[in-house]
Amino acid sequence: MNQPNVLTYSFIIPVYNRPGEILELLQSMVALRFDREYEIVVVEDGSTVPCEEVVAQFRNKLNISYYQKPNSGPGDSRNYGMKKAKGNYFLILDSDVLLPPQYLKEVDLSLSLNYFDCFGGPDAADESFTDLQKAINYSMTSLFTTGGIRGQKNAVGKFQPRSFNMGLSQKAFQASGGFGFIHPGEDPDLALRLEELGFKTALVPEAFVYHKRRIDWGKFHIQVYKFGKVRPILNNWHPQSAKITYWFPSLFIIGLLIAALLLLAGNPFLFLVYLFYFGIIGLDAAIKNKSFNIGIAAIPATFIQFLGYGKGFLISVWKINFLKMEPEIAFPELFFNDIKKEKTR
């Protein structure tokens, strides 16, 4: 696809009841080092705790627009923001991220050297994050966990960007219609539809964000459980995207159950293999984060991630592939209903 002569950037940020997050994100954006003008579009997705007063604090510091709309989910809110935006390249962020000062400069440099109509950047943990946030970040990004299933540097042309840190050209948005009404999963669905339309996606490793997930063990399990339920739906919609690697968390949990049964029967070998693996996780997380506590916390984080994702994946495979249920019927909680759709069309 042809690159525009001049790239003009619009940040698109949907928000739902998170004024504190928007405050921290906008504070980080004030410190961005970039010598061209850019705009920020904040879309309030039917919040009962709005961030309008927070946004007003930055009107003299940032080129920022603020819109309110009925709740229709993050995907539709991003579409709404992109329709309102003036730029020709959209930078889509979740409200719970912080930007390093060089973020926009790295994006612009990468696109000037090797243009893509859609890209994704990685997430990292800032030093200010809690031990729990750092442990969960490790489990979501490590090559030793499901983070290794995502695209990496050696497969940048096959990377499926995630909407917490995603770039999308105006041309690709108009051609694809933007995000769908499934959530989570709206971002890989869009990336796969773009691929089918002939657009290329890429990973820009230098364009990372600090992903400050507001989460506890219970919320983390619910989140990855939903991720697991979504994947077979995406595989059904986009058969070319199905990979054996998506089965790994389910097989991991099944293997762990078998290991426990074998241990009870007097054969500890497989269970010891699992203990060795979790030991590797704890050691690697401790070394990378320079913290024994984070290393210990990364072990339950990894277990919860595999358990939630693996369980959700198997349930979804059963309902979607074997019972042949329609996704909206099998998992209505993953879709925004038609009434909400009509409100923002």
Side-chain angles (χ1 to χ4, degrees):
M1 300 294 173
N2 294 328
Q3 176 181 352
N5 291 329
V6 178
L7 289 174
T8 54
Y9 297 105
S10 296
F11 285 95
I12 310 297
I13 309 168
V15 59
Y16 180 72
N17 289 339
R18 299 290 179 88
E21 289 184 352
I22 285 294
L23 175 62
E24 292 183 319
L25 173 53
L26 294 179
Q27 286 173 337
S28 74
M29 298 181 86
V30 170
L32 284 176
R33 297 194 295 263
F34 194 63
D35 57 7
R36 302 203 310 271
E37 187 175 357
Y38 58 91
E39 74 166 334
I40 300 166
V41 179
V42 177
V43 181
E44 193 87 70
D45 184 25
S47 299
T48 57
V49 185
C51 65
E52 185 173 11
E53 292 184 3
V54 171
V55 171
Q57 299 174 29
F58 292 87
R59 291 198 183 278
N60 294 329
K61 302 175 183 178
L62 297 167
N63 178 18
I64 190 166
S65 302
Y66 173 78
Y67 298 95
Q68 292 179 307
K69 52 176 279 299
N71 178 250
S72 59
D76 189 52
S77 296
R78 297 181 192 112
N79 293 344
Y80 183 95
M82 287 186 281
K83 291 175 183 177
K84 297 290 185 181
K86 299 177 178 65
N88 58 24
Y89 209 100
F90 308 126
L91 302 175
I92 300 162
L93 304 173
D94 278 357
S95 62
D96 62 350
V97 305
L98 306 174
L99 298 185
Q102 74 278 8
Y103 175 84
L104 190 48
K105 186 179 292 186
E106 293 290 358
V107 168
D108 189 62
L109 176 62
S110 179
L111 292 178
S112 65
L113 294 175
N114 189 17
Y115 180 79
F116 287 91
D117 282 280
C118 180
F119 77 86
D123 53 342
D126 185 67
E127 286 299 318
S128 65
F129 290 8
T130 66
D131 287 354
L132 176 59
Q133 288 171 327
K134 291 177 180 178
I136 289 176
N137 182 80
Y138 172 86
S139 73
M140 294 290 283
T141 59
S142 172
L143 286 171
F144 290 116
T145 65
T146 60
I149 296 175
R150 302 184 193 182
Q152 300 297 329
K153 288 185 181 180
N154 60 356
V156 292
K158 300 178 181 178
F159 185 73
Q160 293 177 11
R162 296 296 186 264
S163 52
F164 66 83
N165 179 17
M166 181 178 186
L168 183 68
S169 72
Q170 183 184 56
K171 181 185 294 185
F173 169 62
Q174 292 173 344
S176 64
F179 295 92
F181 284 87
I182 189 172
H183 177 70
E186 71 276 15
D187 32 14
D189 171 57
L190 174 57
L192 290 165
R193 286 189 285 111
L194 288 172
E195 181 183 325
E196 292 160 9
L197 290 169
F199 293 93
K200 292 183 179 181
T201 63
L203 170 67
V204 180
E206 297 80 12
F208 68 89
V209 299
Y210 298 116
H211 202 173
K212 195 172 185 178
R213 298 176 177 91
R214 295 332 199 261
I215 206 164
D216 55 33
W217 293 128
K219 291 178 182 177
F220 183 48
H221 177 265
I222 292 171
Q223 181 185 61
V224 292
Y225 177 60
K226 288 182 178 180
F227 290 163
K229 289 193 292 186
V230 161
R231 180 51 63 177
I233 297 173
L234 297 179
N235 291 346
N236 186 264
W237 289 350
H238 311 281
Q240 80 282 2
S241 70
K243 299 177 183 177
I244 189 64
T245 50
Y246 295 136
W247 282 88
F248 283 2
S250 301
L251 296 175
F252 181 92
I253 293 302
I254 292 171
L256 184 56
L257 289 173
I258 293 172
L261 292 174
L262 289 174
L263 179 65
L264 292 174
N267 186 344
F269 177 75
L270 186 56
F271 193 79
L272 291 174
V273 171
Y274 273 89
L275 286 181
F276 178 76
Y277 168 76
F278 283 118
I280 293 290
I281 290 293
L283 181 62
D284 185 57
I287 292 172
K288 287 181 176 174
N289 290 278
K290 300 178 181 178
S291 168
F292 176 79
N293 290 338
I294 296 172
I296 293 298
I299 295 173
T302 300
F303 172 75
I304 290 171
Q305 185 187 29
F306 278 115
L307 175 65
Y309 189 103
K311 181 173 61 173
F313 186 88
L314 288 176
I315 291 172
S316 188
V317 165
W318 174 251
K319 289 186 176 183
I320 301 301
N321 294 348
F322 288 91
L323 298 184
K324 304 298 182 182
M325 296 176 67
E326 289 295 324
E328 294 87 345
I329 302 300
F331 304 110
E333 69 277 11
L334 300 179
F335 296 86
F336 282 83
N337 62 43
D338 291 334
I339 294 176
K340 290 181 178 178
K341 291 180 187 180
E342 291 296 333
K343 285 182 179 179
T344 53
R345 281 177 180 166

